[in-house]
Amino acid sequence: MQVMKALEQAAEMQPNLFICSAYEWSDYWIFPYSDSPNPDFVQMDGPIIKIHKITGDSKYMLLSDHDFFDILKNKKAAHLPEGVLPYSARQQ
């Protein structure tokens, strides 16, 4: 699954929130959400979506997930076209 398609899928899961950053880790795209479209705004309790690059399966990441801290530690920024973020399904 391409990152832009995954971004759209993730945005539909929380249409009233903003995705201000995108990451990749192993076979997953990672999308944290925020209440604000400001990329400098830090929201510690916002939902995070994990989408498998091959199957497109999506799920919310939970603190109890066995790979949660590994993902946070080892994720890499995903390359998106300039101006795409912040992204919200509501604004598209």
Side-chain angles (χ1 to χ4, degrees):
M1 170 173 280
Q2 298 295 321
V3 68
M4 290 303 294
K5 183 170 167 88
L7 177 67
E8 291 172 9
Q9 180 178 335
E12 289 296 328
M13 293 176 73
Q14 290 286 333
N16 295 322
L17 298 178
F18 296 91
I19 298 172
C20 294
S21 56
Y23 302 96
E24 54 183 316
W25 174 83
S26 188
D27 290 334
Y28 293 92
W29 298 113
I30 310 296
F31 301 101
Y33 289 95
S34 174
D35 290 332
S36 170
N38 181 348
D40 295 326
F41 178 81
V42 176
Q43 183 168 336
M44 299 303 289
D45 62 346
I48 301 173
I49 298 292
K50 179 168 88 169
I51 298 179
H52 195 274
K53 289 180 179 179
I54 297 170
T55 65
D57 291 337
S58 59
K59 68 177 192 172
Y60 289 94
M61 285 180 49
L62 304 172
L63 188 59
S64 59
D65 289 349
H66 73 280
D67 56 3
F68 183 85
F69 292 104
D70 188 41
I71 290 172
L72 292 184
K73 182 179 175 185
N74 296 306
K75 67 188 185 319
K76 294 186 179 9
H79 299 287
L80 295 170
E82 192 170 326
V84 169
L85 298 176
Y87 191 91
S88 169
R90 190 178 199 164
Q91 292 185 338
Q92 299 308 316

